[in-house]
Every structure is written in C-alpha cells, then in structure tokens.
Amino acid sequence: DGDSLLSRLADDIEAAQVESGEQVLAGARAVLGDRRAGERAVRFALVRTTEALQDVLRIAVSRGARLEAADF
C-alpha cells in the first residue's frame, strides 16, 4: 500500500538518500575540479561517492522489487 506508514517512511528515507547523493556528487566534482586537491581529499570524495552510489542502487533495487510485486 503506497499510503501506509511504512511506505511513506521508506519514501522519506529514499528521498533523503538521494538528496545526500546529490550533495556528495557536488562535493566530488569540486574536489576533482581542484587541481591542488591532495590524495586524501580525492580518496575521501571517492569513499563518500561510493557510499552514495550504494544507497542509490539499493533504492533502485527496492523500487524495482516493489514494482514487480505490484504487477501481480
């Protein structure tokens, strides 16, 4: 049920993860655009970007499973 408390909570969490991913992407682009950025900054940006990508992929898989279940 798309209007259930659990469904709305999941939507809120997913929206927060996507927003966080957008912020991480902006930060990573800034680091990569800075020729003076050191190895630590680049590694930190890559670690955070990897975490954000993992969250977004989790959302995609979760939504895909829910869409498949709704077809039945």
Side-chain angles (χ1 to χ4, degrees), residues 2-25:
D3 284 335
S4 72
L5 178 61
L6 185 58
S7 181
R8 289 193 311 263
L9 179 62
D11 289 344
D12 290 346
I13 290 170
E14 290 171 0
Q17 289 173 323
V18 169
E19 182 178 342
S20 176
E22 290 170 346
Q23 293 171 358
V24 169
L25 179 58

Side-chain angles (χ1 to χ4, degrees), residues 3-62:
D3 284 335
S4 72
L5 178 61
L6 185 58
S7 181
R8 289 193 311 263
L9 179 62
D11 289 344
D12 290 346
I13 290 170
E14 290 171 0
Q17 289 173 323
V18 169
E19 182 178 342
S20 176
E22 290 170 346
Q23 293 171 358
V24 169
L25 179 58
R29 284 182 171 153
V31 169
L32 292 174
D34 181 359
R35 294 190 180 273
R36 297 173 300 163
E39 179 184 344
R40 290 183 75 173
V42 173
R43 287 183 58 81
F44 179 78
L46 181 57
V47 167
R48 292 293 297 137
T49 302
T50 302
E51 292 168 353
L53 178 58
Q54 181 179 351
D55 288 342
V56 170
L57 290 173
R58 188 178 305 121
I59 291 168
V61 169
S62 173

